[in-house]
Amino acid sequence: MVARTVDLRSDTVTKPTEAMRTAMANAEVDDDVLGYDPTARHLETEMARITGKDAALYVPSGTMGNLICVLTHCQIRGSEVILGDSCHIHIYENGGISTIGGVHPKTVKNNEDGTMDLNQIEAAIRDPRFEICYPTTRLICLENSHAHSGGRCLSPEYTDQVGELAKKHGLKLHIDGARIFNASAALGVPVHRLVQPADSVSICLSKGLGAPVGTVIVGSESFIARARILRKTLGGGMRQVGVLCAAALIALQENVGKLELDHKKAKTLAVGLDKIKGLKVDIDSIETNIVFCDILESANITGTKLCKILEGHGILVLPEGPFRIRLVLHHQISESDVQYTLSCIQQAVNGIPDKKDGK
């Protein structure tokens, strides 16, 4: 029997706190499909305020949130969206914008920091004079923080530039802000400023914020009115959803302030991993709560094997390819958990206790 569990697979694995469970049990509810659930309205009003947008809508998941936003902007089948080649929408959301919405993705290479080159974005915009052959570009998507780049943050200045580019060409801008609160904490910039140029934003409540379920999308009143219809079409209309929204409100109240500590623990973990012979971490790239660790050939172990060994010690980690692992920090990982993880990884890779003597 493993006496201890340290779950670093994702920040989606957190369990509802006692305060969340109490709020869920006592939530005031009504039929949200009809628009009458007071707790859902409270959450949506709060998220609109935080993001500086006119309106908000609670949806079951981040994938559905992004799908609704893309389809609301691209109501004509055959529309094209410009997005990063390693962004979450393109890689991890089942190609839903194409299979369900008939929207064509036009990828631009993501840089190591999660940005896309502005000139490449502009070059990817289709010439409307040749629409007899080309799909019509209608949308640009950004992701902040950028998960596949290790949780790197997009600056407000960069986002402003993309917003200006979108306006110049009559396009809309959507931000996948699944971890926008992490970006806000890391950059010291309010959420509303980070998403100011965006026409829509999706914000996950069940990642770093620790709520059990849900995402909120924000935008103009007319955008959210159209999005509400699409939510119903996609099966995302839930009735007494205030039970879930109550937990999300607690997450906003109690866990936003903990994100900075999560980032600090991620840095501690990254520094410790980089000191273990056979492992390599780009410490300067650790801006939020995601750590990618490369396994060098000299370690003579694969990511899958390392994860299996760690599981035997109660440490849950996901392989990110044959020689890379990903570790994600959240508010239910303690400093002690970080040190325990480092000790177990040291033993798994080198077969000896961690003497902290570097490489």
Side-chain angles (χ1 to χ4, degrees):
M1 285 288 292
V2 176
R4 181 177 193 170
T5 299
V6 181
D7 198 337
L8 298 164
R9 292 173 297 169
S10 178
D11 46 7
T12 60
V13 301
T14 57
K15 308 298 189 291
T17 63
E18 286 304 314
M20 290 179 188
R21 293 176 188 272
T22 299
M24 293 169 77
N26 297 319
E28 187 180 356
V29 298
D30 203 328
D31 192 324
D32 184 52
V33 174
L34 301 180
Y36 290 108
D37 190 293
T39 308
R41 284 186 173 183
H42 182 190
L43 174 64
E44 289 165 352
T45 300
E46 181 64 8
M47 289 297 288
R49 182 193 66 79
I50 290 171
T51 58
K53 303 301 181 185
D54 295 335
L57 181 69
Y58 181 86
V59 300
S61 70
T63 294
M64 183 180 284
N66 283 327
L67 180 60
I68 288 172
C69 289
V70 172
L71 267 56
T72 301
H73 289 304
C74 301
Q75 297 184 53
I76 300 173
R77 293 182 69 84
S79 297
E80 188 167 73
V81 54
I82 296 172
L83 71 180
D85 65 346
S86 64
C87 76
H88 199 278
I89 293 175
H90 185 58
I91 297 179
Y92 298 110
E93 298 184 9
N94 303 108
I97 63 172
S98 298
T99 56
I100 296 174
V103 177
H104 187 260
K106 173 72 171 178
T107 59
V108 172
K109 180 177 174 56
N110 277 120
N111 299 317
E112 289 186 359
D113 63 358
T115 62
M116 295 178 284
D117 183 81
L118 293 169
N119 291 329
Q120 289 186 27
I121 294 175
E122 189 159 31
I125 299 170
R126 302 290 186 173
D127 186 344
R129 294 171 298 180
F130 205 49
E131 64 181 358
I132 189 68
C133 292
Y134 292 154
T136 300
T137 309
R138 299 188 190 277
L139 179 66
I140 301 172
C141 291
L142 298 176
E143 181 181 335
N144 196 13
S145 63
H146 196 273
H148 202 265
S149 298
R152 302 290 290 273
C153 304
L154 307 186
S155 70
E157 293 78 16
Y158 172 77
T159 306
D160 287 348
Q161 289 178 304
V162 177
E164 289 166 7
L165 183 60
K167 284 184 179 178
K168 174 183 173 183
H169 292 275
L171 309 179
K172 299 297 185 182
L173 173 62
H174 171 66
I175 295 178
D176 175 359
R179 295 184 175 90
I180 196 72
F181 280 94
N182 288 89
S184 173
L187 295 171
V189 177
V191 170
H192 69 82
R193 178 64 188 88
L194 291 178
V195 302
Q196 188 173 308
D199 297 286
S200 63
V201 188
S202 60
I203 301 174
C204 190
L205 302 164
S206 62
K207 289 189 169 70
L209 297 184
V213 181
T215 285
V216 169
I217 59 178
V218 298
S220 67
E221 292 278 2
S222 60
F223 175 87
I224 293 300
R226 296 194 303 272
R228 187 179 297 277
I229 297 170
L230 257 177
R231 183 185 70 173
K232 183 68 167 63
T233 305
L234 295 171
M238 299 181 285
R239 301 296 178 174
Q240 287 70 39
V241 75
V243 171
L244 299 176
C245 293
L249 284 164
I250 296 296
L252 287 174
Q253 294 165 16
E254 296 188 351
N255 292 344
V256 172
K258 298 176 183 177
L259 295 175
E260 219 171 315
L261 182 57
D262 294 342
H263 301 170
K264 182 180 177 182
K265 288 180 288 190
K267 184 73 82 169
T268 298
L269 180 62
V271 170
L273 289 170
D274 195 55
K275 289 180 179 178
I276 296 174
K277 186 178 180 181
L279 301 182
K280 179 63 180 174
V281 177
D282 180 1
I283 297 170
D284 291 338
S285 72
I286 309 301
E287 296 180 0
T288 55
N289 64 324
I290 300 174
V291 178
F292 284 118
C293 178
D294 292 314
I295 303 169
L296 305 180
E297 189 176 346
S298 60
N300 200 29
I301 192 171
T302 65
T304 301
K305 184 177 180 182
L306 176 57
C307 291
K308 189 67 177 175
I309 293 171
L310 292 175
E311 188 177 351
H313 294 279
I315 300 169
L316 306 180
V317 176
L318 290 178
E320 188 82 12
F323 299 101
R324 173 178 265 207
I325 58 174
R326 187 186 83 153
L327 309 95
V328 185
L329 282 292
H330 50 79
H331 76 98
Q332 291 176 342
I333 298 296
S334 67
E335 291 282 359
S336 173
D337 290 334
V338 171
Q339 295 306 320
Y340 174 68
T341 298
L342 288 170
S343 177
C344 290
I345 292 177
Q346 166 72 36
Q347 191 164 359
V349 174
N350 295 330
I352 55 173
D354 185 1
K355 296 180 181 178
K356 302 183 185 300
D357 56 354
K359 295 181 178 177

